[in-house]
Amino acid sequence: MEWCESMPKVELHAHLNGSIRDSTLLELAKDLGEKGVLVFSDFEHVILKSDRSLVEVFKLFDLIHMVTTDHTTISRITREVIEDFASENVVYIELRTTPKKNKSIGMSKRSYMEAVVDGLKSINSVDVAFMPHDVDAQSPLNSMSIDNTCNVIPRKRIYVRLLLSIDRRETTEDAMETVKLALELKDVGVVGIDLSGNPIVGEWTTFWPALQFAKENGLAITLHCGEVPNPKEIQAMLDFWPQRIGHACFFEGDNWEKLKHLNIPVEICLTSNIRTNSISSLDVHHFDDLYKANHPLVICTDDSGVFSTSVSKEYSLAASAFGLGKKEMFQLARDAIEFIFADNEIKKILNQVFDSFVTNLAL
Ligand code: 6MZ
């Protein structure tokens, strides 16, 4: 585990509100409990429960959104989530979130995203490079800072890019609004679109126009695909040919063959799949088949707060379940650079970061 923490890592499937710290969630719920907006004891019971079905997880998201969705809180959660990933040596993250509207508090999808960006700007414990045109960020070397005793110490740096999620409860118009917003926010690091939300809700045809528009305008697309058995939808999603897909738990027959043939990278979230009972146990997880077939893969957390995990824990779990050694884990982490949505300049920098780890640790 310690080694997994020390290794540089790339996180490509993390939902902002699902990555909230337990302590923050409880604190926010307590505050609202005191104001009489909710009954804290009911809330606490749900938060502290560790085994949840997929249906229960989406109930939990509704609760989380009740306490998190105001601008100040969104900025705070963004800051904490990035600090947490950086502290375990995640060097590049694509953080995804669903822009929300809430008239009663004057929130629009744009102001929600501005709160996320404010959160990124407010981080000073680590170097956060999220603006594509930030010249300082083009150096792969850590920047330096001076500690209390005047020693110069290297600072951690994390490269952050954002994906805007379309929730499967949304209409075509809502989805289109999110895509247009993403196009307007390219300068603050938005690189793509995700389709997520409760997989038993909504129809692929509702989201297709917005996703197609996003694709035509140069945004990268990742889709939650095959989180429940739905071969027709899986087929339609593969025909769309997204740059990546998340989960891929319920692929069979032709769809499985097609996924491999198209070589679409899969974002694998082991703990999430087990906790939500999408996969009964790690011995039958599709990671093994895909890994052995040399299929492009990336190990991710999904919702590190909701599932009490971290990227390091996910690597450690993969190592013990599928017999990976340090070299294999390092290679897996490094291979993920190829599947990021940021430009080649960032890929070059990340490769240098991984090179320096090899030199230092004589892997
Ligand atoms: C599908 C998921 C998910 O967007 O409010 N989300 N969608 N499958 C999953 N696997 C368990 N985990 C999270 O983050 C929370 C939202 O992300 C999506 C859901 O839409 C959830 O409401 P944001 O930051």
Side-chain angles (χ1 to χ4, degrees):
M1 182 59 195
E2 216 171 283
W3 191 86
C4 292
E5 265 176 21
S6 68
M7 171 178 83
K9 291 170 290 294
V10 167
E11 164 63 280
L12 300 183
H13 189 133
H15 298 269
L16 174 62
N17 278 290
S19 307
I20 186 173
R21 291 178 187 162
D22 268 358
S23 55
T24 300
L25 190 54
L26 285 168
E27 181 192 319
L28 294 170
K30 214 172 200 169
D31 268 5
L32 288 189
E34 279 161 14
K35 289 179 187 147
V37 180
L38 53 83
V39 179
F40 178 68
S41 53
D42 294 353
F43 205 93
E44 189 183 26
H45 174 72
V46 181
I47 296 173
L48 297 178
K49 190 170 178 223
S50 63
D51 261 343
R52 300 181 189 94
S53 67
L54 200 57
V55 174
E56 285 174 324
V57 164
F58 285 98
K59 280 194 192 140
L60 177 61
F61 282 126
D62 287 342
L63 285 182
I64 292 178
H65 290 144
M66 266 177 73
V67 301
T68 59
T69 307
D70 72 76
H71 295 110
T72 321
T73 310
I74 287 300
S75 300
R76 169 184 175 178
I77 297 169
T78 307
R79 182 172 59 249
E80 292 178 351
V81 165
I82 295 298
E83 282 174 348
D84 290 348
F85 280 113
S87 75
E88 55 154 339
N89 294 311
V90 170
V91 291
Y92 175 90
I93 180 169
E94 280 170 20
L95 185 65
R96 55 185 80 189
T97 192
T98 322
K100 297 170 187 72
K101 291 189 225 185
N102 186 345
K103 262 200 182 147
S104 65
I105 55 163
M107 178 180 280
S108 62
K109 286 191 183 227
R110 173 177 276 277
S111 72
Y112 176 96
M113 285 312 302
E114 283 165 357
V116 170
V117 172
D118 284 348
L120 294 177
K121 287 182 182 158
S122 72
I123 301 170
N124 46 32
S125 57
V126 288
D127 255 8
V128 178
F130 69 98
M131 307 271 237
H133 306 298
D134 176 1
V135 181
D136 284 351
Q138 307 308 317
S139 153
L141 300 175
N142 289 341
S143 61
M144 301 294 172
S145 62
I146 312 248
D147 71 7
N148 306 342
T149 47
C150 293
N151 290 321
V152 176
I153 45 165
R155 278 165 64 81
K156 288 189 178 183
R157 171 176 291 167
I158 182 166
Y159 290 84
V160 179
R161 291 296 182 270
L162 300 169
L163 306 180
L164 302 200
S165 301
I166 295 169
D167 186 315
R168 295 182 63 111
R169 286 178 293 196
E170 291 185 298
T171 62
T172 305
E173 291 69 40
D174 287 332
M176 198 60 103
E177 189 183 343
T178 296
V179 172
K180 287 185 179 154
L181 181 61
L183 289 168
E184 287 163 20
L185 296 180
K186 277 186 164 180
D187 279 353
V188 286
V190 174
V191 287
I193 296 288
D194 155 57
L195 175 66
S196 55
N198 192 338
I200 58 171
V201 172
E203 294 292 328
W204 167 248
T205 46
T206 307
F207 316 114
W208 183 86
L211 292 166
Q212 183 62 23
F213 178 73
K215 196 185 217 182
E216 285 163 6
N217 283 280
L219 287 167
I221 313 281
T222 176
L223 304 173
H224 280 60
C225 179
E227 238 186 324
V228 290
N230 186 347
K232 273 204 174 138
E233 184 179 271
I234 295 173
Q235 192 184 353
M237 286 182 168
L238 290 176
D239 287 344
F240 179 80
W241 207 340
Q243 276 90 341
R244 299 197 306 255
I245 61 166
H247 298 297
C249 299
F250 289 92
F251 272 58
E252 282 182 336
D254 289 350
N255 283 337
W256 187 243
E257 290 314 313
K258 189 162 183 184
L259 172 69
K260 285 187 169 168
H261 175 71
L262 294 178
N263 222 29
I264 300 174
V266 181
E267 302 152 0
I268 295 277
C269 310
L270 296 172
T271 301
S272 162
N273 296 160
I274 299 295
R275 289 283 194 89
T276 56
N277 301 323
S278 303
I279 303 284
S280 57
S281 76
L282 287 177
D283 334 335
V284 293
H285 197 284
H286 47 294
F287 174 96
D288 200 37
D289 182 342
L290 293 174
Y291 183 73
K292 285 182 179 146
N294 240 338
H295 189 90
L297 284 180
V298 49
I299 291 191
C300 304
T301 52
D302 203 8
D303 299 291
S304 54
V306 168
F307 299 121
S308 310
T309 190
S310 65
V311 190
S312 312
K313 279 189 192 164
E314 294 300 301
Y315 272 91
S316 171
L317 195 60
S320 54
F322 309 109
L324 310 185
K326 287 182 184 171
K327 270 202 173 140
E328 288 82 15
M329 277 195 279
F330 181 77
Q331 195 55 47
L332 200 56
R334 179 172 207 153
D335 287 347
I337 298 173
E338 272 317 300
F339 322 135
I340 70 172
F341 292 163
D343 57 31
N344 286 339
E345 202 51 45
I346 299 291
K347 289 186 182 174
K348 217 162 85 190
I349 292 171
L350 293 175
N351 269 308
Q352 287 168 317
V353 171
F354 277 76
D355 281 343
S356 67
F357 183 82
V358 177
T359 316
N360 294 342
L361 283 194
L363 244 181

